[in-house]
Amino acid sequence: MQNGSYYVSNGIIYVQATIDKKRIKRSTGKKATSINLRWIKKNYRDVLQNFVVKEKKPSNSKISLKEFGFQVLELGSHKRDETVQRDYIAAFKNHILTYFKNYDINQIKSLDIEIWQKYLLTKMSSRTADRCRMILNMIIKKAYANDLTDKNYGDLAEKIYIEYKKQEPYTVEEMVKMLKLSDGMLKIYLHVAFLTGMRVGELLALKFTDIDYKRSIIYLQRSLSKGKIKEAKAKSSGKIIKNHCRIIIIPPFLSKMISEWQTVSPSKEWLFVSKRTKNPFYESRTVANYLKSFLNKINVKYKTLKPTRHTFISILRSEGVDKSFIQDLVGHTQNSDVTDKHYTTLHITQAKIDAVNNVLKNIHICP
């Protein structure tokens, strides 16, 4: 669907779009009141989608899952970024169509979905299987909304129980050993990771300009996700669009370490880059490979990159740091209405800075 929009004619709201190189215009039947205009501004794409589905619906109410599914994913692509859309298409092709390839959309019942889910769980994690279920359910829900099925069989099927495996954090002893014996870029990475609780994607998207060396503070502004650097704030409005925008407290000695690293770093812009390309590590597994090799040398069990965050949180909790303050520090709280004032609303006082630094001193991290 191209150039989708809405307009008013004779006091009635219409929608229009180009579908398969053909221009269509349809009346919504709604009067152009202020309330209806606000509604159509947000929902005109969904209105167009419903018109398209109904007009393509065959007289015998049979339409293949393949045809209908791709149509739904395409028409809803404006709600997702490119990487998520690619993931949806891949999951649909590889895990839904391969199983239901000969089904019409109205032939898929709740029992079929439950048997398929059980099959998926033999091949993948419960979280991945649940994501596939969500995509199929979205397609079936749209079919039900357009009278292609008599019931919403996706919602009627038994849901997948998601098993969350608790990640084992690195112990304080392992952390101290890793920090003392590492060098170069890995030493900086491990210090920032263990002493801030930042997510892997947030770490890999750090710039030297994010560091306030005088105040020993990091202004987190972006994150690496699926091979792309994503800003946490919209450039035009300054509105927060991702949960990767907050203040990070670092001890003064780490601020000095980062400053010294900047003078010898392969990049004058990014903290962590490939020596060969001088670009950020767009895949965390590259850093993970460095860490695996290092931990093997110092005889410490590899537990992936993520547990550094868990270690930081565990240390603060064990030292009695306020729970809500920890949530602010590691970005557990979410507020989609936050604007440019986000940094000041966190109220990072000197007392809170001292509280974090004192914890690190107690475990003999700070000099």
Side-chain angles (χ1 to χ4, degrees):
M1 179 170 64
Q2 298 177 342
N3 302 322
S5 62
Y6 66 94
Y7 66 97
V8 176
S9 178
N10 296 324
I12 301 297
I13 301 173
Y14 288 76
V15 291
Q16 60 182 358
T18 300
I19 308 291
D20 297 333
K21 299 182 179 180
K22 294 181 180 180
R23 194 71 178 172
I24 68 164
K25 298 179 181 180
R26 298 291 181 268
S27 169
T28 65
K30 293 180 178 290
K31 293 182 179 180
T33 64
S34 58
I35 294 176
N36 286 341
L37 286 171
R38 285 197 297 271
W39 175 84
I40 196 67
K41 184 178 181 180
K42 294 181 179 179
N43 299 286
Y44 72 90
R45 286 181 176 272
D46 289 334
V47 174
L48 278 165
Q49 180 174 316
N50 287 336
F51 276 127
V52 171
V53 170
K54 286 180 179 179
E55 290 179 13
K56 287 193 173 185
K57 174 183 169 184
S59 58
N60 61 0
S61 297
K62 286 189 176 182
I63 184 169
S64 71
L65 170 65
K66 180 178 180 180
E67 178 185 350
F68 187 77
F70 277 125
Q71 187 179 67
V72 171
L73 291 176
E74 179 196 351
L75 292 173
S77 61
H78 67 283
K79 302 175 184 177
R80 303 178 282 274
D81 63 35
E82 293 180 8
T83 54
V84 174
Q85 176 69 1
R86 284 199 299 268
D87 286 348
Y88 276 33
I89 294 293
F92 181 61
K93 286 181 177 179
N94 300 328
H95 305 304
I96 298 175
L97 279 186
T98 53
Y99 188 91
F100 292 107
K101 57 185 176 182
N102 296 321
Y103 280 71
D104 289 330
I105 190 67
N106 63 342
Q107 292 177 316
I108 302 175
K109 309 300 181 184
S110 298
L111 183 60
D112 300 313
I113 296 173
E114 291 173 8
I115 294 172
W116 166 69
Q117 290 174 174
K118 187 175 181 180
Y119 165 73
L120 287 183
L121 291 171
T122 65
K123 301 173 55 180
M124 59 185 65
S125 70
S126 57
R127 293 186 69 177
T128 304
D130 190 61
R131 185 178 178 86
C132 293
R133 171 200 164 86
M134 179 271 294
I135 295 169
L136 177 60
N137 196 30
M138 175 177 64
I139 295 169
I140 293 177
K141 184 177 181 179
K142 187 62 68 175
Y144 176 62
N146 288 278
D147 301 322
L148 296 179
T149 63
D150 58 344
K151 293 180 181 179
N152 187 351
Y153 290 102
D155 278 351
L156 294 173
E158 184 177 343
K159 292 178 173 55
I160 293 174
Y161 173 75
I162 302 177
E163 294 181 0
Y164 294 95
K165 293 183 179 179
K166 188 175 181 180
Q167 286 190 312
E168 180 186 0
Y170 292 100
T171 66
V172 173
E173 291 74 18
E174 289 172 333
M175 176 185 70
V176 172
K177 188 175 184 180
M178 292 162 70
L179 296 181
K180 285 184 177 180
L181 299 181
S182 56
D183 58 19
M185 183 189 67
L186 185 60
K187 187 178 189 71
I188 302 299
Y189 178 89
L190 289 175
H191 271 79
V192 179
F194 274 122
L195 306 186
T196 67
M198 291 169 63
R199 299 177 178 90
V200 177
E202 295 169 345
L203 285 160
L204 297 182
L206 278 177
K207 291 183 177 182
F208 287 109
T209 53
D210 299 331
I211 317 298
D212 183 335
Y213 293 113
K214 290 184 178 180
R215 298 184 64 199
S216 292
I217 281 174
I218 297 175
Y219 291 96
L220 186 59
Q221 304 181 70
R222 71 195 68 79
S223 180
L224 173 71
S225 177
K226 298 184 179 180
K228 289 187 177 181
I229 301 291
K230 297 184 179 180
E231 297 295 328
K233 289 196 289 186
K235 292 183 179 179
S236 58
S237 65
K239 185 176 181 179
I240 306 300
I241 55 177
K242 296 287 183 182
N243 186 30
H244 302 291
C245 193
R246 60 186 187 277
I247 285 180
I248 306 292
I249 297 171
I250 56 175
F253 87 90
L254 180 52
S255 180
K256 183 180 179 182
M257 282 179 62
I258 298 173
S259 177
E260 292 172 350
W261 169 244
Q262 185 174 4
T263 64
V264 297
S265 169
S267 169
K268 300 309 174 186
E269 181 179 12
W270 305 93
L271 262 71
F272 308 114
V273 297
S274 163
K275 291 182 180 179
R276 181 177 60 84
T277 66
K278 308 295 189 296
N279 291 320
F281 293 103
Y282 290 111
E283 292 187 358
S284 59
R285 64 183 178 186
T286 306
V287 181
N289 289 337
Y290 283 132
L291 183 59
K292 283 181 184 177
S293 177
F294 168 66
L295 294 183
N296 186 50
K297 289 180 182 178
I298 66 172
N299 197 29
V300 171
K301 179 184 176 183
Y302 173 70
K303 303 172 185 176
T304 77
L305 298 172
K306 292 182 180 180
T308 57
R309 176 176 171 84
H310 298 273
T311 301
F312 176 75
I313 294 172
S314 297
I315 290 172
L316 294 186
R317 284 177 176 171
S318 64
E319 292 290 325
V321 176
D322 180 71
K323 183 179 179 180
S324 62
F325 180 47
I326 296 175
Q327 289 177 328
D328 279 343
L329 285 176
V330 300
H332 278 166
T333 55
Q334 297 184 1
N335 187 345
S336 59
D337 295 325
V338 183
T339 61
D340 279 328
K341 297 180 180 179
H342 176 73
Y343 289 131
T344 57
T345 58
L346 285 180
H347 300 298
I348 300 298
T349 63
Q350 188 59 46
K352 290 182 177 179
I353 293 174
D354 292 342
V356 173
N357 289 336
N358 287 336
V359 169
L360 300 177
K361 285 180 180 178
N362 289 343
I363 58 173
H364 307 293
I365 294 296
C366 289

